[in-house]
Amino acid sequence: MALSVTDLLIGKLATILENEGTTIAGVRHEVDKIKEEFLSMKAFLLDAEANKPKTEGQKLWVARIRDLAYDVEDIIDEFMYHMYEKQSGGRLSRGLHKTIRAPCNIWFRHKIAKKLQKITDMIKAIPERNQRYGVGLVGGATTSEDIQKLVQNQAESSFFIMEDELVGIEGKKQILMGWLMDNEQHQTVISVVGMGGSGKTTLVAKTFTSELVKRHFDCYAWITVSQTYDVVHLFRSLIRELYKSRKENFPAILNAMSRIELLELLVNYLESKKYLVVLDDVWDVKVWREIKVSLQDRQLGSRVVLTTRNEEVASNSFGVESYVYRIQPLQKNEAWELFSRKAFSTKQHKTCPTELKSLACQLVEKCEGLPLGIVALGGLMSSKKSLDQWQQVCNNLNWYLHNNSSLDPVRNILLLSFNDLPSQLRHCFLYCSLFPEDYLFKRKRVIRLWIAEGFVENVKGVTPEEVADGYHQELCFLSMLQVADDFVSATSSGRLKKFKMHDLMRELALSTAEKEKFGYVYDGREVMEEISTRRLSIHRMEGEIKSWRGMSKIRSLLVFATDMSSLSFLNTLVSRFKLLRTLDLEDVQIDKLPGAVVYLFNLRYLNLKGTLIEELPESIGRLCNLQFLNIRDTKIESLPQGITRLLSLRNLIMYRYTGNLYFKVVIGTKAPSNICKLQKLQILSMIESEGDTCRLIGNMTQLKSISISNVKERDEIDLWDSIQKLTLLQSMGLMASNEEEILPVKAECPPLPHLRRLGLIGRLQNVIPWFSSLHSLTTLFLHWSRLEEDLLPQIEALHNLTRLRLCNAYVGEELCFRRGFVKLMRLELLNFASVKKITIENGVMPNLRYLYVDSFMELKTVPLGLEYLSTLQYLGLKDFPMEVIRPIRKGGVDRSKVQHIPEIIHVFKQSSNWVHENLA
């Protein structure tokens, strides 16, 4: 982590030297010198990162570097804060709890220079002190290697696990055996993917050792790859295992053979044999590229099985027939059965005592179906006899994870993924642990926080959002973040929106975050006094937060205690964190912005979504470094003039959902006419059109996403002239001023090659002819269009469309999906008052996973053709006539048409309450 902190600091110093030359006059030399010292130190930290310091001296050395990096950041930020305070005429001093006095600039610059010089001297002294006390970072086996050996030993143990220790494996094993032993003659690659500890290796081992499977192949081999592999060593292992499977002696000179000789031997040996090869613990797809040349496809029915925790590896095409088995957590009943077998092995029938049932359930829930965690925790609890001992483990699971050898397997497996992360991803991963347990966080929210924190590296020609999105995808590919709901929460582009951390993974991440002074979670159970951390996440406010000396070092404040309504307390808290970069108050029930916020000159990110705030102060314009402002679903109806001084702003999100299906489904926010001064804005959603708004937005040429409400027919020329200038546009939303106003959509549209999302709210005279030209479009929302002609023929050929939402978009009596919609995954049809029949032809929407139909009171039957939607995972039916629903209930005449759908939810009103009925 010291390397990650140092990297961030070097980047920050470089930016300051480049962009703040005038501001740092007088201390520039010291800033430059300390940057060079940290650049030199980075080489040593790279060794530390690779060799994982093990002795106390080594750990102290690395921790000292981290702390010095934090000290430099504090000094630089305090200096910039002071200079900003002077430039604003000392107004900040009246609004903040001050820890920096305001002396004359020359004296203050001299003081800062001396502080920086002192740290430079301390950095230079570290190597001398290390030499004096014999502290070094080179030599010996590394901690990572030690962990890998332990993991490999665990993998080998999978062959010898007793059947009574296995739960929920038989069905999975049968699926794998089916793929291994089918009639396909071409080589097939089978990938088993899941997070560490999910039972991948155990499942494949139990399948591999089946005599039925072994007899199906001429020879077979199991080799463990791991993170640090040597392809020559893999070839030798493969040869030994293949020969061994046929009880043959491998060549005596095997260890002396070169790579090309080994390769030639393998190719010749397998030329006429049907083989089964398992590559266990594959971390990188290049392993396959290097080894596949030895495993040629002779069309004899050979099979290769990979286990991996990396989704990117599993999803690779491999150049041959391939299957992916995504291993799922154990079901609740399976998890309980496995835990009981381990924890209560000495009890009659392995039954949990009544007095321990509640605590046992808590521990099983913590494991979230992770077999390794359940087995390890069950083993630990088998030695705990009293209620007090069980309570102690429940209350201090984090401590036991780090200090009890029974849980070493869990810690080692999970830490292996973390230790393998590139330095820039470690901060991003640890940041996710600051969200509450089981909290579903959104992708966009977390990547904006990463950017604001400075975690995202600058890549030429790529936006920070795109780089951060890559980080997020990588964490998901590595199974370090879990998808919440893959079809309900998918975005227009098919990317997933909601994620969480596995509880055990989060416990380990939190411990690391606290130890590394990265972040601290306050859960309200005790008085919070002196803590040394950069980020504070408040989950509950039952206790008391006292003032402490290092409060000014906090850079990030996230508040999840949504019942915190004390504005004065929050204001006092914020005023002490004067160098905050991020402030997240989403859903906190305050009705006014804390006054101290406008003095946070260092603030990059301000999230007020879901608060009860009614207005922003004029002084919001003081936040000169603010990049992200979210006031969605607040009570703010208009922005102050001061908003136009936020020249660094990249995202301004300010729409309000009304929660109904009528015309006014969403409301925009009024903004000053000169908001077009915000030239860095990339997202503006949703601005209420007034006066020249439609003409002026054309000046914001960096916009990638724009939505405008209150659009009138007379705005047509100005609107489309502006849209023509927005060459980077990826998302556009237009809303008419009222439900009778014709939405001004031109017959001919300017080229929109990058447009991926389009939402039109309001009446349309005709089906728009240029719909079919939007080849990049992935999402289309049409709301209250009330078209008289069939609109489906115009949009069925949009080959990239993944989501379609139509609400009162058509006033005819029949909707017929005849062809196309090849990539559509999510379809929502709402509020069609006159439609009596929906038909889906065979072959249409071959990838549909989610279908929601709401308020079709004239419909005579459920949509015809549901039986053709073989990929459908969810069917939602709301506010339907009961005679339509009755035939698809169990035993109904049309039940066979929907029985393949895993989830069918019927929502209807009963005595003024909405009732949810599961028809699956």
Side-chain angles (χ1 to χ4, degrees):
M1 281 299 292
L3 177 62
S4 305
V5 173
T6 303
D7 265 343
L8 286 175
L9 177 64
I10 291 169
K12 180 169 186 169
L13 295 178
T15 302
I16 287 172
L17 287 165
E18 184 179 341
N19 301 326
E20 302 284 352
T22 307
T23 309
I24 64 168
V27 297
R28 183 185 182 91
H29 176 67
E30 283 72 20
V31 172
D32 205 8
K33 193 161 59 174
I34 209 161
K35 188 192 89 171
E36 293 304 314
E37 283 294 335
F38 273 103
L39 278 170
S40 301
M41 190 62 72
K42 185 177 174 180
F44 292 96
L45 289 171
L46 283 167
D47 286 339
E49 197 87 346
N51 292 313
K52 302 300 173 200
K54 297 197 291 185
T55 69
E56 289 307 311
Q58 291 168 349
K59 291 175 184 176
L60 184 64
W61 182 81
V62 173
R64 189 67 187 123
I65 295 296
R66 181 200 62 224
D67 290 346
L68 286 173
Y70 281 150
D71 289 344
V72 172
E73 184 183 35
D74 289 341
I75 292 167
I76 295 295
D77 280 347
E78 289 189 0
F79 176 74
M80 300 296 287
Y81 166 82
H82 169 79
M83 297 310 296
Y84 178 76
E85 184 183 44
K86 296 299 289 183
Q87 289 165 12
S88 60
R91 286 173 294 178
L92 290 176
S93 59
R94 294 195 297 273
L96 281 174
H97 172 83
K98 285 179 62 65
T99 58
I100 302 177
R101 290 184 173 82
C104 70
N105 284 348
I106 296 174
W107 180 86
F108 188 72
R109 288 176 196 273
H110 178 68
K111 181 181 175 184
I112 292 294
K114 281 184 70 175
K115 282 186 177 181
L116 292 174
Q117 181 59 51
K118 184 179 177 182
I119 291 180
T120 304
D121 293 341
M122 290 167 76
I123 293 171
K124 288 178 178 177
I126 287 174
E128 299 165 16
R129 190 180 302 111
N130 287 346
Q131 193 171 7
R132 195 184 319 143
Y133 295 108
V135 177
L137 282 165
V138 186
T142 70
T143 302
S144 264
E145 288 170 356
D146 292 341
I147 291 176
Q148 283 180 38
K149 285 175 185 173
L150 288 167
V151 170
Q152 186 166 342
N153 291 341
Q154 277 179 240
E156 291 166 356
S157 300
S158 298
F159 291 99
F160 308 104
I161 294 176
M162 302 294 289
E163 290 298 324
D164 68 346
E165 291 188 38
L166 300 174
V167 171
I169 203 171
E170 195 54 41
K172 302 168 185 175
K173 180 178 165 184
Q174 291 303 318
I175 291 172
L176 291 193
M177 288 178 68
W179 289 339
L180 289 173
M181 300 165 60
D182 63 16
N183 295 323
E184 176 59 56
Q185 291 304 297
H186 280 287
Q187 182 193 62
T188 301
V189 176
I190 299 163
S191 301
V192 180
V193 62
M195 73 178 289
S198 58
K200 304 180 295 294
T201 299
T202 302
L203 169 62
V204 175
K206 286 300 169 186
T207 309
F208 179 81
T209 54
S210 164
E211 286 302 321
L212 195 61
V213 170
K214 286 182 176 180
R215 286 198 298 269
H216 189 74
F217 297 93
D218 299 324
C219 56
Y220 44 84
W222 176 295
I223 55 175
T224 301
V225 180
S226 76
Q227 292 158 286
T228 53
Y229 69 91
D230 173 2
V231 73
V232 173
H233 175 69
L234 292 184
F235 283 154
R236 289 196 183 109
S237 299
L238 192 51
I239 291 166
R240 286 193 191 97
E241 292 294 314
L242 289 168
Y243 273 78
K244 181 180 168 185
S245 72
R246 293 174 62 83
K247 297 182 171 59
E248 298 171 350
N249 295 323
F250 55 80
I253 60 166
L254 188 66
N255 287 338
M257 294 175 77
S258 67
R259 181 183 183 280
I260 193 69
E261 289 170 330
L262 292 167
L263 186 54
E264 188 177 356
L265 174 62
L266 266 171
V267 171
N268 291 335
Y269 186 78
L270 295 174
E271 186 172 10
S272 58
K273 296 182 180 70
K274 176 160 64 169
Y275 58 81
L276 166 62
V277 171
V278 174
L279 304 175
D280 185 37
D281 198 23
V282 177
W283 286 73
D284 197 314
V285 76
K286 71 180 181 183
V287 174
W288 172 250
R289 297 192 194 110
E290 292 183 273
I291 211 170
K292 72 175 180 179
V293 66
S294 68
L295 303 174
Q296 298 185 357
D297 182 11
R298 304 290 185 184
Q299 297 184 33
L300 297 170
S302 295
R303 300 288 183 264
V304 179
V305 181
L306 284 74
T307 72
T308 180
R309 56 181 76 191
N310 191 336
E311 179 70 34
E312 195 170 15
V313 172
S315 302
N316 189 64
S317 66
F318 299 106
V320 293
E321 181 77 22
S322 60
Y323 296 103
V324 178
Y325 186 83
R326 292 177 176 85
I327 204 155
Q328 299 299 315
L330 294 178
Q331 298 291 327
K332 285 183 179 180
N333 61 320
E334 295 171 334
W336 178 257
E337 183 183 347
L338 182 58
F339 181 80
S340 297
R341 287 182 184 182
K342 299 297 290 182
F344 312 116
S345 56
T346 59
K347 305 284 184 188
Q348 189 177 13
H349 308 305
K350 299 181 179 178
T351 304
C352 174
T354 307
E355 69 274 13
L356 298 179
K357 190 72 179 277
S358 173
L359 295 173
C361 285
Q362 285 181 43
L363 290 173
V364 173
E365 283 176 16
K366 273 281 184 187
C367 297
E368 295 188 53
L370 191 70
L372 180 69
I374 295 165
V375 168
L377 206 49
L380 170 66
M381 301 317 293
S382 66
S383 64
K384 310 294 178 188
K385 306 303 179 187
S386 71
L387 184 64
D388 287 345
Q389 288 176 317
W390 276 69
Q391 189 71 61
Q392 189 177 32
V393 175
C394 281
N395 292 344
N396 301 283
L397 183 58
N398 196 302
W399 185 91
Y400 278 89
L401 269 172
H402 282 83
N403 296 283
N404 191 287
S405 58
S406 299
L407 300 183
D408 280 354
V410 184
R411 184 174 66 254
N412 291 335
I413 286 280
L414 297 182
L415 279 179
L416 201 58
S417 294
F418 177 72
N419 290 338
D420 189 58
L421 287 177
S423 61
Q424 67 267 28
L425 283 187
R426 294 188 179 199
H427 276 140
C428 296
F429 176 69
L430 290 183
Y431 205 93
C432 294
S433 71
L434 300 179
F435 288 85
E437 185 178 304
D438 296 324
Y439 189 90
L440 300 182
F441 52 85
K442 290 190 175 179
R443 177 182 58 85
K444 286 184 179 179
R445 182 181 183 185
V446 81
I447 67 173
R448 286 165 184 159
L449 283 162
W450 292 344
I451 293 168
E453 285 276 5
F455 299 161
V456 179
E457 61 187 332
N458 291 319
V459 179
K460 191 174 181 181
V462 185
T463 66
E465 286 80 4
E466 289 166 337
V467 176
D469 202 33
Y471 291 175
H472 186 270
Q473 285 186 40
E474 194 166 346
L475 290 174
C476 293
F477 283 152
L478 292 169
S479 306
M480 298 188 75
L481 295 180
Q482 296 180 320
V483 176
D485 191 336
D486 59 351
F487 57 86
V488 176
S489 69
T491 66
S492 55
S493 57
R495 288 180 303 181
L496 302 161
K497 287 174 66 176
K498 292 182 180 179
F499 302 82
K500 68 185 287 291
M501 288 183 88
H502 190 284
D503 278 359
L504 296 181
M505 186 77 89
R506 180 176 172 273
E507 292 286 354
L508 288 169
L510 271 178
S511 292
T512 303
E514 195 169 331
K515 184 172 66 179
E516 301 285 350
K517 301 182 182 177
F518 175 88
Y520 180 86
V521 167
Y522 176 64
D523 60 9
R525 285 189 290 189
E526 56 193 29
V527 174
M528 187 170 72
E529 297 180 280
E530 185 75 32
I531 58 166
S532 183
T533 190
R534 309 302 274 185
R535 294 160 193 90
L536 176 61
S537 181
I538 300 175
H539 292 183
R540 281 193 295 273
M541 275 305 302
E542 295 166 14
E544 180 186 354
I545 299 180
K546 290 188 173 180
S547 180
W548 72 88
R549 191 162 46 93
M551 289 183 91
S552 63
K553 297 180 185 294
I554 299 287
R555 293 302 193 280
S556 189
L557 176 62
L558 298 95
V559 180
F560 296 97
T562 54
D563 56 347
M564 180 193 282
S565 57
S566 172
L567 188 63
S568 60
F569 171 75
L570 192 56
N571 190 54
T572 303
L573 196 63
V574 170
S575 69
R576 290 168 181 165
F577 302 153
K578 59 182 171 30
L579 297 178
L580 277 183
R581 290 178 69 95
T582 65
L583 177 59
D584 196 315
L585 302 176
E586 184 167 318
D587 292 327
V588 175
Q589 299 302 289
I590 51 172
D591 56 10
K592 191 176 179 183
L593 184 72
V597 169
V598 299
Y599 300 107
L600 301 174
F601 98 101
N602 205 31
L603 200 65
R604 265 72 173 169
Y605 173 98
L606 178 58
N607 182 9
L608 304 173
K609 177 186 171 184
T611 63
L612 304 176
I613 294 173
E614 296 181 2
E615 63 177 2
L616 292 177
E618 181 64 35
S619 53
I620 194 78
R622 291 175 179 165
L623 302 177
C624 58
N625 289 307
L626 195 65
Q627 297 176 352
F628 302 95
L629 176 59
N630 188 346
I631 57 169
R632 172 186 160 179
D633 295 327
T634 63
K635 296 187 175 183
I636 299 168
E637 296 181 1
S638 61
L639 296 176
Q641 185 66 37
I643 205 82
T644 62
R645 303 199 332 253
L646 304 180
L647 300 182
S648 297
L649 207 59
R650 298 167 63 86
N651 288 189
L652 178 52
I653 301 165
M654 51 183 188
Y655 55 89
R656 289 165 284 151
Y657 277 122
T658 61
N660 63 54
L661 292 182
Y662 300 110
F663 168 74
K664 218 153 202 178
V665 67
V666 66
I667 300 172
T669 301
K670 296 176 183 176
S673 58
N674 58 343
I675 197 170
C676 60
K677 287 167 61 179
L678 306 182
Q679 291 293 302
K680 292 184 180 179
L681 261 189
Q682 294 184 7
I683 296 176
L684 178 58
S685 177
M686 155 185 276
I687 184 170
E688 184 173 315
S689 177
E690 287 185 306
D692 287 341
T693 301
C694 288
R695 179 176 62 83
L696 294 172
I697 59 167
N699 297 325
M700 293 186 279
T701 54
Q702 294 301 302
L703 280 174
K704 291 186 174 183
S705 176
I706 177 75
S707 56
I708 312 169
S709 65
N710 198 40
V711 178
K712 297 181 171 65
E713 217 171 340
R714 64 171 181 262
D715 295 323
E716 181 176 4
I717 295 173
D718 287 342
L719 175 66
W720 292 98
D721 281 350
S722 288
I723 290 171
Q724 194 162 3
K725 296 173 187 175
L726 306 181
T727 56
L728 303 177
L729 205 59
Q730 295 179 8
S731 177
M732 178 171 69
L734 302 175
M735 181 177 179
S737 58
N738 60 66
E739 59 184 275
E740 297 305 324
E741 181 91 34
I742 301 293
L743 200 60
V745 180
K746 295 183 70 172
E748 291 185 16
C749 174
L752 295 168
H754 308 296
L755 195 70
R756 303 182 67 174
R757 293 172 292 277
L758 176 63
L760 301 176
I761 303 175
R763 192 167 184 175
L764 297 175
Q765 272 187 324
N766 306 103
V767 176
I768 300 169
W770 47 262
F771 272 163
S772 56
S773 70
L774 302 174
H775 301 301
S776 299
L777 202 69
T778 59
T779 293
L780 177 61
F781 288 179
L782 295 179
H783 188 88
W784 231 254
S785 311
R786 292 179 290 169
L787 287 161
E788 295 181 7
E789 60 178 306
D790 189 359
L791 72 161
L792 295 181
Q794 286 291 339
I795 55 180
E796 63 191 15
L798 292 172
H799 294 298
N800 288 306
L801 197 68
T802 59
R803 183 176 180 185
L804 176 62
R805 179 185 171 102
L806 304 175
C807 181
N808 193 15
Y810 174 59
V811 295
E813 294 190 352
E814 182 178 355
L815 276 176
C816 185
F817 295 84
R818 292 185 174 83
R819 63 186 71 84
F821 300 104
V822 291
K823 289 187 180 179
L824 196 68
M825 295 172 65
R826 181 177 176 122
L827 173 62
E828 296 158 89
L829 304 171
L830 307 100
N831 212 344
F832 282 67
S834 56
V835 169
K836 297 178 179 178
K837 183 180 180 184
I838 302 174
T839 305
I840 301 166
E841 300 282 0
N842 194 4
V844 182
M845 301 184 280
N847 291 296
L848 194 71
R849 304 190 69 195
Y850 179 96
L851 173 59
Y852 181 73
V853 188
D854 185 352
S855 301
F856 276 69
M857 291 309 292
E858 292 297 315
L859 209 61
K860 304 303 179 188
T861 176
V862 292
L864 302 176
L866 288 176
E867 64 270 25
Y868 302 136
L869 301 177
S870 59
T871 59
L872 197 63
Q873 299 292 303
Y874 177 93
L875 173 63
L877 303 168
K878 182 180 178 184
D879 213 7
F880 266 57
M882 277 299 175
E883 58 267 24
V884 173
I885 299 298
R886 204 169 292 117
I888 63 168
R889 286 198 172 110
K890 290 177 183 176
V893 293
D894 291 331
R895 179 65 183 180
S896 61
K897 296 178 181 178
V898 297
Q899 64 185 10
H900 65 289
I901 305 170
E903 191 172 1
I904 307 171
I905 303 297
H906 172 222
V907 182
F908 60 96
K909 215 161 195 177
Q910 191 175 70
S911 304
S912 73
N913 293 317
W914 287 107
V915 177
H916 289 69
E917 177 188 16
N918 190 350
L919 299 179

